[in-house]
Coordinates of all heavy atoms in Angstrom, one line a residue:
K262 N 83.9 86.9 139.0 CA 83.1 86.8 137.8 C 82.8 85.4 137.4 O 81.6 85.1 137.0 CB 83.9 87.5 136.6 CG 83.2 87.4 135.3 CD 84.1 88.0 134.2 CE 83.5 87.7 132.8 NZ 84.4 88.3 131.7
W263 N 83.7 84.5 137.6 CA 83.5 83.1 137.3 C 82.8 82.3 138.4 O 82.6 81.1 138.3 CB 84.8 82.4 136.9 CG 85.4 82.8 135.6 CD1 84.7 83.4 134.6 CD2 86.7 82.7 135.2 NE1 85.5 83.6 133.5 CE2 86.8 83.2 133.9 CE3 87.9 82.3 135.8 CZ2 88.0 83.3 133.2 CZ3 89.1 82.3 135.1 CH2 89.1 82.8 133.8
N264 N 82.7 83.0 139.6 CA 82.1 82.3 140.8 C 83.0 81.1 141.2 O 82.5 80.0 141.5 CB 80.7 81.8 140.5 CG 79.9 81.6 141.8 OD1 80.2 82.1 142.8 ND2 78.9 80.7 141.7
I265 N 84.3 81.3 141.2 CA 85.2 80.3 141.5 C 85.8 80.7 142.9 O 86.2 81.8 143.2 CB 86.4 80.2 140.5 CG1 85.9 79.8 139.2 CG2 87.5 79.3 141.0 CD1 85.4 78.4 139.1
C266 N 85.9 79.7 143.8 CA 86.4 79.9 145.1 C 87.6 78.9 145.4 O 87.4 77.8 145.9 CB 85.3 79.7 146.2 SG 84.0 80.8 146.1
P267 N 88.8 79.3 144.9 CA 89.9 78.4 145.1 C 90.4 78.3 146.5 O 90.0 79.2 147.4 CB 91.0 79.0 144.2 CG 90.6 80.5 144.2 CD 89.1 80.5 144.2
K268 N 91.2 77.4 146.8 CA 91.8 77.2 148.2 C 93.0 78.2 148.3 O 94.1 77.9 147.9 CB 92.2 75.8 148.4 CG 91.2 74.8 148.2 CD 91.8 73.4 148.1 CE 90.7 72.3 147.7 NZ 91.3 71.0 147.5
I269 N 92.7 79.4 148.7 CA 93.7 80.4 148.8 C 94.6 80.2 150.0 O 94.1 80.4 151.2 CB 93.1 81.8 148.8 CG1 92.3 82.0 147.4 CG2 94.2 82.9 148.9 CD1 91.6 83.3 147.4
N270 N 95.8 79.9 149.8 CA 96.8 79.6 150.9 C 97.7 80.8 151.2 O 98.1 81.0 152.3 CB 97.7 78.4 150.7 CG 96.9 77.1 150.7 OD1 95.8 77.1 151.2 ND2 97.5 76.0 150.2
F271 N 97.9 81.7 150.2 CA 98.7 82.8 150.4 C 98.1 84.0 149.6 O 97.6 83.8 148.5 CB 100.2 82.6 149.8 CG 100.9 81.4 150.5 CD1 100.8 80.2 150.0 CD2 101.6 81.6 151.7 CE1 101.5 79.1 150.6 CE2 102.3 80.6 152.3 CZ 102.2 79.3 151.8
T272 N 98.3 85.2 150.1 CA 97.9 86.4 149.5 C 99.0 87.4 149.6 O 99.5 87.7 150.7 CB 96.6 87.0 150.1 OG1 95.5 86.0 150.0 CG2 96.2 88.3 149.4
T273 N 99.4 88.0 148.5 CA 100.4 89.0 148.5 C 100.3 89.9 147.3 O 99.7 89.6 146.3 CB 101.8 88.4 148.5 OG1 102.9 89.4 148.5 CG2 102.0 87.5 147.2
W274 N 100.9 91.1 147.4 CA 100.9 92.1 146.3 C 102.2 92.1 145.5 O 102.4 92.8 144.6 CB 100.6 93.5 146.8 CG 100.4 94.5 145.7 CD1 101.1 95.7 145.5 CD2 99.4 94.5 144.7 NE1 100.6 96.4 144.4 CE2 99.5 95.7 143.9 CE3 98.3 93.6 144.3 CZ2 98.7 96.0 142.8 CZ3 97.5 93.9 143.2 CH2 97.7 95.1 142.5
D275 N 103.1 91.1 145.9 CA 104.4 91.0 145.2 C 104.4 89.9 144.2 O 104.4 88.7 144.6 CB 105.5 90.8 146.3 CG 106.9 90.9 145.7 OD1 107.1 90.5 144.6 OD2 107.8 91.3 146.5
D276 N 104.4 90.2 142.9 CA 104.2 89.2 141.9 C 105.5 88.3 141.9 O 105.4 87.1 141.6 CB 104.0 89.8 140.5 CG 104.7 91.1 140.3 OD1 105.9 91.2 140.7 OD2 104.1 92.0 139.8
Y277 N 106.7 88.8 142.2 CA 107.9 88.0 142.2 C 107.8 87.0 143.4 O 108.3 85.9 143.3 CB 109.1 88.9 142.3 CG 109.3 89.7 141.0 CD1 109.0 91.0 141.0 CD2 109.7 89.1 139.8 CE1 109.1 91.8 139.8 CE2 109.8 89.8 138.6 CZ 109.5 91.1 138.6 OH 109.6 91.9 137.5
A278 N 107.3 87.4 144.5 CA 107.1 86.5 145.6 C 106.2 85.3 145.2 O 106.4 84.2 145.6 CB 106.5 87.2 146.8
I279 N 105.1 85.6 144.5 CA 104.2 84.6 144.0 C 105.0 83.6 143.1 O 104.8 82.4 143.3 CB 103.0 85.2 143.3 CG1 102.1 85.9 144.3 CG2 102.3 84.2 142.4 CD1 100.9 86.5 143.6
M280 N 105.8 84.1 142.2 CA 106.5 83.1 141.3 C 107.4 82.3 142.1 O 107.6 81.1 141.8 CB 107.2 83.9 140.2 CG 106.3 84.4 139.2 SD 107.1 85.3 137.8 CE 107.3 86.9 138.4
A281 N 108.1 82.8 143.1 CA 109.0 82.0 144.0 C 108.2 80.9 144.7 O 108.7 79.8 144.9 CB 109.7 82.9 144.9
M282 N 107.0 81.3 145.2 CA 106.2 80.3 145.9 C 105.7 79.2 145.0 O 105.7 78.0 145.3 CB 105.0 81.0 146.6 CG 105.4 81.9 147.7 SD 103.9 82.7 148.4 CE 104.6 83.8 149.7
V283 N 105.3 79.6 143.8 CA 104.9 78.6 142.8 C 106.0 77.7 142.5 O 105.9 76.4 142.4 CB 104.3 79.3 141.5 CG1 104.1 78.3 140.4 CG2 103.0 80.0 141.8
E284 N 107.2 78.2 142.3 CA 108.4 77.4 141.9 C 108.7 76.4 143.0 O 109.1 75.3 142.8 CB 109.6 78.3 141.8 CG 110.9 77.6 141.4 CD 112.1 78.5 141.3 OE1 112.3 79.3 142.2 OE2 112.8 78.5 140.2
S285 N 108.4 76.8 144.3 CA 108.6 75.9 145.4 C 107.5 74.9 145.6 O 107.5 74.1 146.6 CB 108.8 76.7 146.7 OG 109.9 77.5 146.6
G286 N 106.5 74.9 144.8 CA 105.4 73.9 144.8 C 104.3 74.3 145.9 O 103.5 73.4 146.3
L287 N 104.2 75.5 146.3 CA 103.2 75.9 147.3 C 101.9 76.2 146.8 O 100.9 76.4 147.5 CB 103.8 77.1 148.1 CG 105.1 77.0 148.8 CD1 105.5 78.3 149.4 CD2 104.9 75.9 149.9
G288 N 101.7 76.2 145.4 CA 100.4 76.4 144.9 C 100.5 76.9 143.4 O 101.6 77.0 142.9
I289 N 99.4 77.2 142.8 CA 99.3 77.8 141.5 C 98.8 79.2 141.6 O 98.3 79.7 142.7 CB 98.4 77.0 140.5 CG1 96.9 77.1 140.9 CG2 98.9 75.5 140.5 CD1 96.0 76.5 140.0
S290 N 98.9 80.0 140.5 CA 98.5 81.4 140.6 C 98.1 81.8 139.1 O 98.2 81.0 138.2 CB 99.5 82.3 141.1 OG 99.0 83.6 141.3
I291 N 97.5 83.0 139.1 CA 97.2 83.6 137.8 C 97.9 85.0 137.8 O 97.7 85.8 138.8 CB 95.7 83.8 137.5 CG1 95.0 82.4 137.4 CG2 95.5 84.6 136.3 CD1 93.5 82.5 137.3
L292 N 98.7 85.3 136.8 CA 99.4 86.6 136.8 C 99.3 87.2 135.4 O 99.1 86.5 134.4 CB 100.9 86.4 137.1 CG 101.3 85.9 138.5 CD1 102.8 85.6 138.6 CD2 100.9 87.0 139.5
P293 N 99.4 88.5 135.3 CA 99.4 89.1 133.9 C 100.6 88.7 133.1 O 101.7 88.5 133.7 CB 99.4 90.6 134.3 CG 98.9 90.7 135.7 CD 99.4 89.5 136.4
Q294 N 100.5 88.6 131.9 CA 101.6 88.1 131.0 C 102.7 89.1 131.1 O 103.9 88.7 130.9 CB 101.1 88.0 129.6 CG 102.0 87.3 128.6 CD 101.3 86.9 127.3 OE1 100.5 87.6 126.8 NE2 101.7 85.7 126.8
L295 N 102.4 90.4 131.2 CA 103.5 91.4 131.3 C 104.5 91.1 132.5 O 105.7 91.3 132.3 CB 102.9 92.8 131.4 CG 103.9 94.0 131.4 CD1 104.7 94.0 130.1 CD2 103.1 95.3 131.6
V296 N 103.9 90.6 133.6 CA 104.7 90.3 134.7 C 105.7 89.1 134.4 O 106.8 89.0 135.0 CB 103.8 89.9 135.9 CG1 104.6 89.3 137.1 CG2 103.0 91.1 136.4

Side-chain angles (χ1 to χ4, degrees):
K262 175 184 175 181
W263 287 340
N264 198 26
I265 296 292
C266 298
K268 305 167 187 175
I269 299 175
N270 290 346
F271 300 94
T272 300
T273 178
W274 188 239
D275 188 327
D276 36 43
Y277 294 104
I279 286 181
M280 285 185 275
M282 291 180 183
V283 172
E284 183 182 49
S285 297
L287 296 174
I289 69 173
S290 189
I291 297 177
L292 293 173
Q294 193 166 34
L295 184 59
V296 172

